[in-house]
């Protein structure tokens, strides 16, 4: 599967170029065959490096596949550069750029992009991110419908909006204050707290405080988020993220013992993947089956590749995000008043 995923990702990228009519059908076929061959060579290069590492660790000479590392790398780079150059040249040609300008640009792009793309695509995380981006572009990030309006009088809308802004500011301020305490504790707690025996324990306890401070921030985000897809499409994923954060906080009570933390981190990854899928599906275009497939793929990719590591890293951004939400997302907005003859659009439930 480590080899199939990059190939499917590459197929999706080229299909997207073709769907947008950036390249012609014959060029798309040539580019696809060329870049698939480059991926095979990149995989062989990776196997050659791994074999060479094992031989070097055993103090054995670099023979066989291991001895071909340099040759394989150069050939993979050259083939990949040709494929990427053809793709870029076709896209520039479709945009009307003259050949005297696009050929050198395509050659430079192929030479520079090929090694990075080859190494990136054989990495499961990078391949998943690129595939997800292609799927989002293909289906559309939003559902294409205009913001819904409501027949509620403007005075009532303004009053309700003021109440929501006040709640958002209060929750965000609370999150920022507790988050700053968590950062300070994580960095300095070992020097003054009786509960922190060393810097590792202080860091774990500080992360726990930061995770707790994220819960008011999540509530503030849900209050300020657009409700055009229905309240369930906002509060449902938010609730799963709150449970995810709680599971990570419970896991860090046993830090740094990884065996004790692993079950709770696994639960948190699954909850986070479910939240991403729930948030994504109502906000895509296209048939329901495709939207569900893309949403589940996004959620599964997150759970498998990032779910156990991303939340503790993002915890230190909670105070910053809370301040941004308090000062930017809570600004007053003018309600849209229906003019004569306009009828409100029904709210879509998710």
């Amino acid at each position: 599967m480590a080899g199939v995923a990059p190939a499917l990702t590459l197929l999706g990228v080229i299909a997207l170029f073709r769907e947008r009519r950036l390249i012609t059908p014959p060029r798309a076929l040539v580019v696809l065959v060329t870049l698939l061959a480059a991926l095979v060579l990149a995989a062989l290069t990776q196997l050659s490096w791994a074999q060479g590492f094992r031989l070097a660790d055993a103090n054995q000479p670099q023979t066989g596949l291991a001895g071909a590392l340099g040759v394989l790398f150069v050939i993979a780079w050259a083939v990949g550069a040709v494929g990427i150059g053809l793709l870029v040249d076709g896209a520039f040609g479709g945009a009307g750029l003259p050949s005297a300008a696009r050929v050198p640009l395509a050659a430079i792009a192929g030479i520079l992009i090929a090694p990075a793309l080859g190494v990136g695509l054989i990495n499961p995380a990078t391949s998943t991110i690129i595939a997800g981006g292609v799927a989002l572009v293909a289906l559309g990030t939003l559902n294409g419908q205009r913001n819904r309006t409501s027949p509620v009088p403007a005075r009532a809308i303004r009053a309700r909006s003021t109440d929501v802004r006040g709640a958002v500011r209060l929750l965000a301020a609370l999150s920022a204050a507790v988050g700053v305490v968590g950062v300070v504790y994580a960095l300095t707690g070992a020097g003054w707290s009786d509960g922190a025996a060393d810097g590792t324990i202080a860091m774990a306890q500080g992360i726990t405080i930061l995770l707790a401070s994220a819960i008011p921030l999540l509530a503030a985000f849900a209050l300020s988020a657009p409700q055009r897809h229905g309240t369930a499409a906002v509060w449902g994923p938010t609730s799963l993220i709150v449970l995810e954060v709680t599971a990570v906080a419970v896991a860090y009570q046993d830090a740094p013992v990884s065996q004790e933390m692993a079950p709770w981190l696994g639960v948190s990854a699954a909850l986070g993947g479910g939240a991403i899928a729930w948030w994504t599906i109502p906000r895509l275009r296209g048939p329901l089956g495709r939207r569900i497939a893309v949403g589940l793929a996004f959620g599964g990719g997150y759970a498998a590749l990032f779910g156990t590591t991303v939340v503790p890293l993002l915890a230190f951004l909670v105070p910053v995000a809370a301040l941004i939400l308090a000062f930017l997302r809570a600004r007053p907005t003018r309600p849209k008043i229906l003019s004569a003859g306009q009828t409100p659009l029904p709210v879509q439930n998710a």
Side-chain angles (χ1 to χ4, degrees), residues 248-275:
V248 176
V250 173
Y252 267 80
Q253 299 302 306
D254 296 315
V257 183
S258 58
Q259 292 180 347
E260 300 293 335
M261 298 173 64
W264 285 106
L265 291 177
V267 171
S268 72
L271 290 168

Side-chain angles (χ1 to χ4, degrees), residues 2-223:
V4 173
L8 292 176
T9 302
L10 180 63
L11 179 60
V13 171
I14 296 174
L16 183 62
F17 269 71
R18 178 67 199 112
E19 188 268 337
R20 299 300 171 93
R21 299 184 179 180
L22 297 175
I23 54 176
T24 61
R27 185 183 292 265
L29 183 61
V30 172
V31 169
L32 178 62
V33 172
T34 304
L35 290 182
L36 285 177
L39 276 183
V40 173
L41 290 167
L44 288 174
T45 304
Q46 186 185 41
L47 291 175
S48 175
W49 178 86
Q51 180 66 17
F53 183 85
R54 286 193 292 268
L55 291 175
D57 191 53
N59 294 320
Q60 296 180 5
Q62 302 288 311
T63 58
L65 183 62
L69 175 62
V71 175
L72 287 172
F73 180 81
V74 171
I75 295 176
W77 189 347
V79 175
V82 170
I84 294 172
L86 289 172
L87 184 64
V88 174
D89 177 74
F92 283 160
L97 197 68
S99 59
R102 72 171 186 262
V103 171
L105 289 176
I108 294 172
I111 293 171
L112 295 179
I113 295 174
L117 189 61
V119 174
L121 279 179
I122 60 177
N123 181 290
T126 308
S127 181
T128 300
I129 292 172
I130 296 175
V134 172
L136 281 182
V137 172
L139 290 179
T141 306
L142 300 175
N143 67 354
Q145 297 174 335
R146 297 182 180 272
N147 291 345
R148 271 64 171 179
T149 56
S150 170
V152 179
R155 183 184 306 171
I157 294 176
R158 283 194 295 268
R160 183 175 59 190
S161 178
T162 301
D163 293 340
V164 170
R165 290 198 306 273
V168 168
R169 283 199 172 105
L170 178 61
L171 289 169
L174 175 62
S175 178
V178 178
V180 168
V181 173
V183 172
V184 172
Y185 190 100
L187 299 178
T188 67
W192 53 268
S193 174
D194 294 334
D198 53 34
T200 302
I201 299 299
M203 181 63 67
Q205 293 174 348
I207 290 175
T208 301
I209 297 172
L210 283 164
L211 293 173
S213 72
I215 295 177
L217 175 62
L218 291 168
F221 170 79
L223 286 173

Side-chain angles (χ1 to χ4, degrees), residues 227-254:
Q227 305 286 327
R228 66 176 64 94
H229 303 285
T231 56
V234 174
W235 286 99
T238 303
S239 300
L240 290 182
I241 296 176
V242 170
L243 294 176
E244 176 189 18
V245 168
T246 303
V248 176
V250 173
Y252 267 80
Q253 299 302 306
D254 296 315

